[in-house]
Amino acid sequence: MSTAVAGATPHHTDPPLPHARGELSEAVITALREPGSPLPSPAAVAEQDPFGEDLQLLLYVLYELHYRGFRSVDADAEWDPGLLAVRAAADARFLAALREGTGDADGGGDGDVAAAVEELLVEPVGHDPDSVSHHLRRSSELWQLTEYAALRSLYHLKEADPHLWVVPRLWGRAKAAMVAVEYDEFGAGRAEDVHARLFADLMTDLGLDARYGRYLDHAPAAALATVNMMSLFGLRRSLRGALAGHFAAVEITSSPGSARLAEALRAAGAGPAAQRFYDEHVEADAVHEQVVRHEVLDGLLEEEPHLAPDVVFGIRATGFVEARFAAHVLPAWRAGRSALRAPLDASPPR
């Protein structure tokens, strides 16, 4: 059984299994609690809405077995053949939907990496009504910033972990540059500066519970998909180009977006720890952008030029899932409603 390390802070404890959101996730969660319970068939998985609550939670739970796992779930469940078969079917369903959503249904799409990167470098003039960070800077509503932090905690409390999967699959310039950027993400050797630690401090400053996985039950499918995509790309060697493209999209767009979020937190009266996380990203990611563009991407394509279409796919898939996330949260916030599946002051849905 998975147990917490003696003396660990609450941030490091294994999270409990979430509540199911449909028949598929119910079967998987039950099988993790009671090994040997029936699992969904690949055919049943293939028929599900790829962006629906049930399939996205199923994917998140199965991917999480490769990270910290769950409380009272045997660590060997990570390599259970039956669970891996379910995940393979869900992977295929999700990947096909991402390719369709980015206009790359056959997997042989546009390989113009330079043009795709150039699009990322273009910042909109004035206010962008479809951007979450633009909205939060304009509204400066503390409750919305707090919900945003709860949703993003699913990634930021394991920030950069999904990207480490690609390191053994790179070499030369790309590997050296990727490790250099990741070194910064993990605090440059200082535990107190690990970005996941900084985000936990941000959460505490906002009055949130900073335990790992705490808000999984609150997060809608659109938020799960942004994290699941990283795990999908990271865990598949065949998608190393897509992971590099995703990483480039994150690093290139992070600095201006972080500047807007830092400004919003200051205007909302958030504490210094909350502001520090995004202030740190403004500076660090401005440097990372150059390294990723000129060393990670150029180094990868110098060695494996055939991966160019995958890099472009990773860039566009990132924009696609983030647009879906924005399309979920922004209408709710503009209407004065919570974007979560349950308000932060309420019990998670059962």
Side-chain angles (χ1 to χ4, degrees), residues 93-109:
R93 183 76 174 116
F94 186 36
L95 179 58
L98 289 173
R99 290 201 181 279
E100 182 178 353
T102 57
D104 186 27
D106 61 0

Side-chain angles (χ1 to χ4, degrees), residues 176-244:
M178 189 76 186
V179 170
V181 174
E182 291 286 86
Y183 180 66
D184 286 346
E185 301 284 346
F186 292 115
R190 296 181 296 274
E192 65 274 16
D193 290 336
V194 171
H195 284 187
R197 173 72 261 177
L198 297 182
F199 196 80
D201 294 341
L202 173 150
M203 294 177 72
T204 300
D205 221 349
L206 292 175
L208 291 167
D209 185 338
R211 285 177 294 178
Y212 184 87
R214 171 63 179 83
Y215 295 106
L216 175 54
D217 275 319
H218 291 74
L224 301 185
T226 65
V227 187
N228 284 339
M229 186 195 68
M230 300 182 208
S231 298
L232 170 69
F233 291 169
L235 288 167
R236 285 194 175 202
R237 178 177 170 273
S238 61
L239 293 173
R240 62 194 179 280
L243 192 283

Side-chain angles (χ1 to χ4, degrees), residues 49-63:
D49 175 0
F51 297 108
E53 298 288 347
D54 199 18
L55 188 71
Q56 285 299 317
L57 180 64
L58 176 150
L59 273 172
Y60 191 96
V61 168
L62 293 178
Y63 288 144

Side-chain angles (χ1 to χ4, degrees), residues 313-334:
F313 167 58
I315 291 171
R316 291 182 176 162
T318 303
F320 176 68
V321 296
E322 288 295 336
R324 290 183 59 88
F325 174 78
H328 175 87
V329 300
L330 291 179
W333 288 343
R334 287 174 181 143

Side-chain angles (χ1 to χ4, degrees), residues 236-303:
R236 285 194 175 202
R237 178 177 170 273
S238 61
L239 293 173
R240 62 194 179 280
L243 192 283
H246 158 72
F247 191 63
V250 170
E251 295 299 326
I252 290 170
T253 60
S254 174
S255 188
S258 293
R260 288 188 287 271
L261 291 167
E263 183 181 337
L265 286 162
R266 275 190 284 273
Q275 296 172 36
R276 184 191 174 195
F277 177 81
Y278 288 109
D279 284 336
E280 169 72 16
H281 280 70
V282 172
E283 181 178 346
D285 290 344
V287 176
H288 294 170
E289 173 206 325
Q290 298 296 317
V291 177
V292 172
R293 287 171 60 198
H294 300 299
E295 297 299 325
V296 176
L297 292 188
D298 288 355
L300 173 67
L301 296 175
E302 182 178 86
E303 297 283 355

Side-chain angles (χ1 to χ4, degrees), residues 72-114:
S72 301
V73 173
D74 195 309
D76 286 336
E78 177 183 11
W79 298 111
D80 179 270
L83 292 171
L84 288 175
V86 173
R87 204 197 84 198
D91 274 356
R93 183 76 174 116
F94 186 36
L95 179 58
L98 289 173
R99 290 201 181 279
E100 182 178 353
T102 57
D104 186 27
D106 61 0
D110 176 17
D112 192 342
V113 174

